[in-house]
Protein backbone atom coordinates (compact mmCIF):
# COMPACT_ATOMS: atom_id res chain seq x y z
CA UNK A 1 0.00 0.00 0.00
CA UNK A 2 1.50 3.29 -1.08
CA UNK A 3 2.08 5.87 1.63
CA UNK A 4 0.77 8.59 -0.71
CA UNK A 5 -2.94 9.09 0.11
CA UNK A 6 -5.23 7.39 -2.38
CA UNK A 7 -2.53 6.51 -4.91
CA UNK A 8 -3.53 2.86 -4.83
CA UNK A 9 -6.85 3.76 -6.49
CA UNK A 10 -7.10 4.58 -10.22
CA UNK A 11 -7.66 8.11 -11.41
CA UNK A 12 -11.16 8.26 -12.94
CA UNK A 13 -12.31 11.15 -15.11
CA UNK A 14 -16.07 11.67 -14.96
CA UNK A 15 -17.92 14.48 -16.69
CA UNK A 16 -21.09 16.08 -15.50
CA UNK A 17 -23.59 16.37 -18.35
CA UNK A 18 -24.93 19.57 -16.79
CA UNK A 19 -23.30 21.83 -19.43
CA UNK A 20 -24.41 19.61 -22.34
CA UNK A 21 -27.15 20.54 -24.84
CA UNK A 22 -30.22 19.11 -23.08
CA UNK A 23 -31.97 18.70 -26.43
CA UNK A 24 -29.25 16.19 -27.45
CA UNK A 25 -28.16 14.41 -24.26
CA UNK A 26 -27.86 11.06 -25.98
CA UNK A 27 -25.39 12.49 -28.47
CA UNK A 28 -23.47 14.11 -25.57
CA UNK A 29 -23.21 10.74 -23.82
CA UNK A 30 -21.82 9.10 -26.97
CA UNK A 31 -19.35 11.96 -27.49
CA UNK A 32 -18.13 11.70 -23.88
CA UNK A 33 -17.66 7.96 -24.29
CA UNK A 34 -15.66 8.53 -27.47
CA UNK A 35 -13.60 11.20 -25.65
CA UNK A 36 -12.40 8.55 -23.20
CA UNK A 37 -14.21 9.37 -19.94
CA UNK A 38 -14.42 6.62 -17.32
CA UNK A 39 -18.04 7.16 -16.24
CA UNK A 40 -20.79 9.78 -16.55
CA UNK A 41 -22.40 11.81 -13.76
CA UNK A 42 -26.01 12.95 -13.90
CA UNK A 43 -26.65 16.03 -11.73
CA UNK A 44 -30.21 15.51 -10.47
CA UNK A 45 -31.67 18.67 -8.95
CA UNK A 46 -35.17 19.13 -7.46
CA UNK A 47 -35.44 22.90 -7.00
CA UNK A 48 -35.73 22.40 -3.20
CA UNK A 49 -32.36 21.16 -1.92
CA UNK A 50 -30.73 23.36 -4.57
CA UNK A 51 -32.24 26.35 -6.44
CA UNK A 52 -32.23 24.58 -9.79
CA UNK A 53 -34.12 21.82 -11.63
CA UNK A 54 -32.63 19.34 -14.08
CA UNK A 55 -33.81 15.85 -15.06
CA UNK A 56 -35.50 12.74 -13.73
CA UNK A 57 -34.93 9.01 -14.15
CA UNK A 58 -36.73 8.80 -17.50
CA UNK A 59 -34.22 11.18 -19.11
CA UNK A 60 -31.33 9.11 -17.78
CA UNK A 61 -33.00 5.88 -18.95
CA UNK A 62 -33.42 7.34 -22.45
CA UNK A 63 -29.62 7.65 -22.71
CA UNK A 64 -28.77 4.30 -21.14
CA UNK A 65 -28.30 2.39 -24.40
CA UNK A 66 -26.01 5.06 -25.91
CA UNK A 67 -22.97 3.84 -23.91
CA UNK A 68 -21.75 0.99 -21.75
CA UNK A 69 -20.14 3.41 -19.28
CA UNK A 70 -21.21 3.52 -15.63
CA UNK A 71 -23.87 6.14 -14.89
CA UNK A 72 -23.77 7.78 -11.47
CA UNK A 73 -26.74 9.77 -10.16
CA UNK A 74 -25.77 12.75 -8.00
CA UNK A 75 -29.00 13.33 -6.08
CA UNK A 76 -29.21 16.97 -5.07
CA UNK A 77 -32.73 16.38 -3.81
CA UNK A 78 -34.57 16.55 -0.49
CA UNK A 79 -35.63 13.17 0.96
CA UNK A 80 -34.08 10.85 -1.67
CA UNK A 81 -35.32 7.59 -0.11
CA UNK A 82 -38.76 7.22 -1.78
CA UNK A 83 -37.28 7.34 -5.30
CA UNK A 84 -33.98 5.49 -4.78
CA UNK A 85 -35.08 2.53 -6.92
CA UNK A 86 -35.97 4.77 -9.89
CA UNK A 87 -32.33 5.77 -10.45
CA UNK A 88 -31.18 2.16 -10.36
CA UNK A 89 -34.04 1.13 -12.67
CA UNK A 90 -32.95 3.94 -15.03
CA UNK A 91 -29.53 2.32 -15.33
CA UNK A 92 -27.40 4.09 -12.71
CA UNK A 93 -24.80 1.77 -11.18
CA UNK A 94 -23.83 4.29 -8.49
CA UNK A 95 -26.22 6.46 -6.46
CA UNK A 96 -24.91 9.47 -4.54
CA UNK A 97 -27.06 10.96 -1.77
CA UNK A 98 -26.28 14.14 0.12
CA UNK A 99 -25.66 13.60 3.83
CA UNK A 100 -27.59 16.82 4.43
CA UNK A 101 -30.79 15.27 3.01
CA UNK A 102 -30.75 11.91 4.82
CA UNK A 103 -32.26 11.69 8.30
CA UNK A 104 -31.02 8.08 8.53
CA UNK A 105 -27.92 8.04 6.31
CA UNK A 106 -26.73 4.57 7.39
CA UNK A 107 -30.10 3.09 6.47
CA UNK A 108 -30.26 4.94 3.13
CA UNK A 109 -26.81 3.76 2.06
CA UNK A 110 -27.77 0.20 2.98
CA UNK A 111 -30.95 0.48 0.90
CA UNK A 112 -28.96 1.63 -2.14
CA UNK A 113 -26.70 -1.41 -1.82
CA UNK A 114 -29.73 -3.68 -1.38
CA UNK A 115 -30.97 -2.31 -4.73
CA UNK A 116 -27.73 -3.60 -6.29
CA UNK A 117 -26.04 -0.26 -6.90
CA UNK A 118 -22.90 1.29 -5.50
CA UNK A 119 -23.61 3.67 -2.62
CA UNK A 120 -22.00 7.07 -2.17
CA UNK A 121 -22.49 10.11 0.03
CA UNK A 122 -21.86 13.74 -0.89
CA UNK A 123 -20.81 16.48 1.54
CA UNK A 124 -21.53 20.16 0.96
CA UNK A 125 -18.63 22.53 1.64
CA UNK A 126 -19.87 23.43 5.13
CA UNK A 127 -20.49 19.81 6.17
CA UNK A 128 -17.69 18.33 8.34
CA UNK A 129 -16.07 15.00 7.37
CA UNK A 130 -17.16 13.45 10.68
CA UNK A 131 -20.65 13.09 9.18
CA UNK A 132 -19.38 10.14 7.11
CA UNK A 133 -16.82 8.72 9.55
CA UNK A 134 -19.15 5.99 10.83
CA UNK A 135 -20.65 4.97 7.46
CA UNK A 136 -17.44 4.59 5.45
CA UNK A 137 -17.85 0.82 5.62
CA UNK A 138 -21.06 1.22 3.55
CA UNK A 139 -19.58 3.70 1.05
CA UNK A 140 -18.17 2.82 -2.33
CA UNK A 141 -17.35 6.51 -2.71
CA UNK A 142 -17.45 9.81 -0.83
CA UNK A 143 -18.08 12.96 -2.89
CA UNK A 144 -16.48 16.07 -1.43
CA UNK A 145 -18.23 19.04 -3.07
CA UNK A 146 -15.78 21.76 -4.04
CA UNK A 147 -18.57 24.23 -4.83
CA UNK A 148 -21.96 24.88 -3.28
CA UNK A 149 -24.29 22.59 -5.25
CA UNK A 150 -26.82 23.76 -7.81
CA UNK A 151 -24.89 25.18 -10.72
CA UNK A 152 -21.93 24.52 -12.98
CA UNK A 153 -19.23 27.04 -13.77
CA UNK A 154 -18.55 28.10 -10.16
CA UNK A 155 -15.17 28.85 -8.57
CA UNK A 156 -13.28 25.93 -6.99
CA UNK A 157 -13.18 26.07 -3.18
CA UNK A 158 -9.64 25.01 -2.24
CA UNK A 159 -10.35 24.93 1.50
CA UNK A 160 -12.01 21.56 0.85
CA UNK A 161 -8.62 19.88 0.36
CA UNK A 162 -8.01 19.18 4.09
CA UNK A 163 -11.43 17.49 4.19
CA UNK A 164 -10.35 15.23 1.31
CA UNK A 165 -7.12 14.40 3.13
CA UNK A 166 -8.92 13.59 6.40
CA UNK A 167 -11.36 11.20 4.72
CA UNK A 168 -8.57 9.56 2.71
CA UNK A 169 -6.58 9.00 5.89
CA UNK A 170 -9.56 7.33 7.55
CA UNK A 171 -10.07 5.11 4.48
CA UNK A 172 -6.43 4.03 4.46
CA UNK A 173 -6.08 3.57 8.25
CA UNK A 174 -9.28 1.52 8.50
CA UNK A 175 -8.87 -0.46 5.29
CA UNK A 176 -12.06 0.70 3.56
CA UNK A 177 -12.57 0.07 -0.18
CA UNK A 178 -13.76 3.58 -1.02
CA UNK A 179 -13.09 6.20 -3.70
CA UNK A 180 -13.08 9.94 -3.07
CA UNK A 181 -14.65 12.15 -5.74
CA UNK A 182 -14.43 15.92 -6.06
CA UNK A 183 -16.98 17.96 -7.95
CA UNK A 184 -17.15 21.66 -8.73
CA UNK A 185 -14.76 24.06 -10.38
CA UNK A 186 -12.40 21.25 -11.38
CA UNK A 187 -10.17 22.21 -14.32
CA UNK A 188 -6.54 21.79 -15.42
CA UNK A 189 -5.76 24.73 -13.12
CA UNK A 190 -7.37 23.21 -10.01
CA UNK A 191 -7.22 19.41 -10.35
CA UNK A 192 -3.80 18.93 -8.77
CA UNK A 193 -4.81 20.12 -5.30
CA UNK A 194 -7.64 17.70 -4.54
CA UNK A 195 -5.88 14.74 -6.19
CA UNK A 196 -2.74 15.46 -4.21
CA UNK A 197 -4.90 15.48 -1.08
CA UNK A 198 -6.26 12.01 -1.89
CA UNK A 199 -9.17 12.29 -4.35
CA UNK A 200 -9.12 9.81 -7.23
CA UNK A 201 -12.41 10.52 -9.06
CA UNK A 202 -12.61 13.88 -10.79
CA UNK A 203 -15.86 15.47 -11.94
CA UNK A 204 -15.61 18.21 -14.54
CA UNK A 205 -18.40 19.96 -16.39
CA UNK A 206 -17.91 23.44 -17.77
CA UNK A 207 -14.11 23.20 -18.04
CA UNK A 208 -14.37 19.98 -20.07
CA UNK A 209 -17.17 21.18 -22.37
CA UNK A 210 -15.51 24.56 -22.96
CA UNK A 211 -12.11 23.16 -23.99
CA UNK A 212 -11.46 24.69 -27.43
CA UNK A 213 -9.43 21.62 -28.38
CA UNK A 214 -12.43 19.37 -27.74
CA UNK A 215 -13.63 16.81 -25.19
CA UNK A 216 -10.87 14.31 -25.96
CA UNK A 217 -8.18 16.87 -25.22
CA UNK A 218 -9.95 17.96 -22.05
CA UNK A 219 -10.13 14.39 -20.75
CA UNK A 220 -6.50 13.62 -21.62
CA UNK A 221 -5.26 16.87 -20.03
CA UNK A 222 -7.20 16.33 -16.80
CA UNK A 223 -5.96 12.75 -16.57
CA UNK A 224 -2.34 13.75 -17.25
CA UNK A 225 -2.40 16.48 -14.59
CA UNK A 226 -4.18 14.29 -12.05
CA UNK A 227 -1.62 11.53 -12.50
CA UNK A 228 1.20 14.09 -12.24
CA UNK A 229 -0.28 15.31 -8.92
CA UNK A 230 0.50 11.90 -7.47
CA UNK A 231 4.08 11.73 -8.66
C1 LIG B 1 -23.00 21.48 -8.82
C2 LIG B 1 -22.72 20.48 -9.91
C3 LIG B 1 -21.45 20.92 -10.63
C4 LIG B 1 -21.17 20.12 -11.87
C5 LIG B 1 -19.78 20.41 -12.39
O1 LIG B 1 -24.21 21.17 -8.20
O2 LIG B 1 -22.57 19.19 -9.33
O3 LIG B 1 -20.39 20.82 -9.73
O4 LIG B 1 -21.30 18.79 -11.55
O5 LIG B 1 -19.69 21.78 -12.53
P1 LIG B 1 -18.37 22.51 -13.08
O6 LIG B 1 -17.34 21.46 -13.45
O7 LIG B 1 -18.86 23.27 -14.27
O8 LIG B 1 -17.90 23.37 -11.96
Amino acid sequence: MSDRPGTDRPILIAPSVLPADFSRLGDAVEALDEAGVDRIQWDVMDGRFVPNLTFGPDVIASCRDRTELLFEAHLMVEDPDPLLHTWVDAGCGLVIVHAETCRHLHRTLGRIKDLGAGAAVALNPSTPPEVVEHVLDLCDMVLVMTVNPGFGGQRYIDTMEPKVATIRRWIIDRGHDCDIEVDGGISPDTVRGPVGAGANVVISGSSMFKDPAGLGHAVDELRRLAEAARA
Side-chain angles (χ1 to χ4, degrees):
M1 174 86 70
S2 161
D3 64 343
R4 298 262 313 135
T7 53
D8 57 317
R9 307 189 73 87
I11 291 290
L12 301 176
I13 305 298
S16 159
V17 296
L18 201 58
D21 175 352
F22 277 23
S23 74
R24 302 176 59 206
L25 283 172
D27 295 342
V29 162
E30 277 191 9
L32 288 163
D33 190 344
E34 287 160 19
V37 301
D38 297 300
R39 58 172 67 165
I40 292 175
Q41 184 183 90
W42 295 85
D43 279 317
V44 177
M45 302 181 188
D46 68 353
R48 291 172 58 215
F49 179 62
V50 293
N52 198 356
L53 271 170
T54 53
F55 25 65
D58 290 348
V59 172
I60 297 172
S62 70
C63 297
R64 181 60 276 180
D65 64 0
R66 303 290 292 270
T67 178
E68 296 294 318
L69 289 173
L70 176 79
F71 281 177
E72 61 178 56
H74 176 193
L75 302 184
M76 290 166 273
V77 303
E78 291 293 354
D79 189 20
D81 280 78
L83 293 181
L84 283 178
H85 65 285
T86 64
W87 311 107
V88 180
D89 295 345
C92 295
L94 184 65
V95 177
I96 307 166
V97 292
H98 268 261
E100 303 86 0
T101 67
C102 296
R103 185 179 296 270
H104 302 287
L105 178 58
H106 188 281
R107 177 185 293 153
T108 299
L109 292 168
R111 291 188 61 217
I112 295 170
K113 298 179 89 69
D114 290 345
L115 288 165
V121 56
L123 300 176
N124 281 344
S126 64
T127 302
E130 286 73 14
V131 167
V132 299
E133 184 176 4
H134 301 296
V135 294
L136 283 175
D137 59 308
L138 291 179
C139 291
D140 297 285
M141 185 174 78
V142 174
L143 164 50
V144 176
M145 291 300 293
T146 47
V147 295
N148 289 291
F151 302 93
Q154 300 179 83
R155 180 188 297 273
Y156 171 73
I157 304 173
D158 62 6
T159 52
M160 294 300 107
E161 290 170 19
K163 186 191 300 188
V164 171
T166 297
I167 296 169
R168 176 56 67 199
R169 180 47 57 202
W170 288 338
I171 289 168
I172 292 171
D173 291 350
R174 301 168 192 183
H176 295 306
D177 179 16
C178 184
D179 289 322
I180 298 181
E181 180 175 82
V182 286
D183 177 359
I186 302 295
S187 72
D189 296 332
T190 60
V191 69
R192 281 166 287 225
V195 171
N200 68 295
V201 187
V202 170
I203 295 288
S204 179
S206 47
S207 170
M208 186 177 288
F209 279 84
K210 287 178 180 172
D211 189 325
L215 289 172
H217 175 267
V219 175
D220 293 345
E221 184 72 352
L222 268 183
R223 194 183 304 279
R224 180 182 68 79
L225 292 166
E227 296 287 2
R230 294 177 149 184

